[in-house]
């Protein structure tokens, strides 16, 4: 670092001061997926960001999916994988692969990356200590429910084990599988799981990492250009949901579930941006799109968008 760089670095640290004070001791739930999970340099930066949050006095919790890794293993084993209404049809054979990949591979990889920086991360499955309980979910095609196998919706959360890890200074890393009341294991959407856990933990923020910059105003599908909406209310988002693309709907529904459940802020961030999590939490400008409860104070720039089109990826 040269002497000329020092003032800029000092300014960055001072800019972070009010946010460090505001979020000290706060729980932040981060849904981890997309390119941030598959590109090595982004994986390493994400792990460093999570440890930075821990050292800065926050209590981060990571909930992950693993769609690309699941697809690769299903292809390798010759197991057909189809989608109905945007949801993976999950046979018992496919569920064994989903469970193996999420719990045995992806979870261990994330834990290992974080623990390069110290003894912080502890891996969990949504099955552990009955963290998540799920019920069978059906796809809806032309108004008719369709059985898609072992795909679940979360109906209950028991966050005691996660709270105990946080109280011990650990970083819980949770894979998005859940048990049913009858012991059946279900594949659940990681966005949905992260939102349910954020509500149960009384989190200060839910952060959803994806592969787009956020919600766009005046999106042009031909030029793939538009203006990112910085902030919008729960009601504004609720009205926009029917217009969104299928890949982005679970992410925005997760944000809506979180703020409706008492989480003060939910964010969709571009995980392709290095250190996106730190930019959102610790800078004045922030990045991505913030969803606020209807009861939140009016914020400049939160005007209702005119038209929105989104693109995103599952898990």
């Amino acid at each position: 670092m040269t002497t000329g760089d020092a003032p800029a670095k000092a300014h960055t640290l001072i800019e972070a001061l009010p946010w460090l004070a505001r979020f000290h001791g706060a729980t932040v739930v981060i849904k981890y997926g997309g390119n941030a999970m598959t590109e090595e340099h982004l994986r390493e930066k994400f792990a460093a960001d999570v440890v930075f949050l821990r050292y800065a006095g926050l209590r981060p919790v990571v909930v992950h999916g693993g769609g690309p890794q699941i697809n690769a293993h299903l292809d390798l084993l010759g197991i057909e994988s189809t989608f109905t209404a945007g949801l993976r049809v999950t046979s018992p054979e496919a569920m064994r692969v989903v469970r193996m990949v999420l719990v045995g591979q992806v979870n261990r990889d994330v834990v290992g990356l974080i623990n390069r920086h110290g003894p912080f991360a502890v891996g969990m499955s949504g099955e552990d200590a009955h963290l998540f309980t799920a019920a069978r979910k059906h796809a809806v095609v032309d108004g008719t429910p369709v059985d898609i196998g072992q795909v679940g919706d979360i109906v209950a959360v028991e966050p005691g084990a996660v709270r105990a890890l946080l109280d011990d200074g650990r970083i819980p890393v949770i894979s998005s599988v859940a048990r049913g009341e009858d012991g059946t294991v279900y594949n659940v959407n990681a966005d949905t799981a992260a939102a349910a856990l954020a509500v149960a933990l009384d989190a200060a923020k839910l952060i959803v990492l994806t592969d787009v910059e956020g919600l766009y105003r005046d999106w042009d599908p031909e030029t793939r250009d538009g203006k990112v909406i910085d902030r919008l209310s729960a009601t504004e988002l609720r009205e926009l949901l029917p217009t969104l693309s299928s890949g982005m709907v679970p992410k925005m529904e997760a944000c809506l579930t979180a703020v409706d459940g008492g989480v003060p802020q939910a964010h969709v961030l571009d995980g392709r941006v290095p250190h996106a999590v730190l930019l959102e939490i610790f800078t004045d400008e922030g990045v991505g799109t913030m969803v606020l409860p209807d009861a939140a104070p009016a914020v400049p720039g939160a005007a209702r968008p005119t038209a929105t089109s989104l693109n995103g990826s599952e898990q």
Side-chain angles (χ1 to χ4, degrees), residues 219-239:
W219 174 259
D220 186 331
E222 293 185 2
T223 64
R224 300 186 63 79
D225 188 30
K227 179 176 174 57
V228 174
I229 301 169
D230 294 332
R231 302 172 178 86
L232 74 165
S233 70
T235 293
E236 289 168 340
L237 176 56
R238 195 173 287 109
E239 292 175 357

Side-chain angles (χ1 to χ4, degrees), residues 34-35 208-216 219 224 228 245 247-248 251-252 268-273 288-289 309-313:
N35 281 53
V208 178
L209 295 180
T210 184
D211 293 339
V212 294
E213 295 177 70
L215 287 169
Y216 293 99
W219 174 259
R224 300 186 63 79
V228 174
S245 67
M248 203 65 176
K251 303 174 195 320
M252 301 317 302
V268 174
L269 307 184
D270 190 345
R272 301 168 301 178
V273 176
T289 297
S309 177
L310 299 171
N311 292 284
S313 58

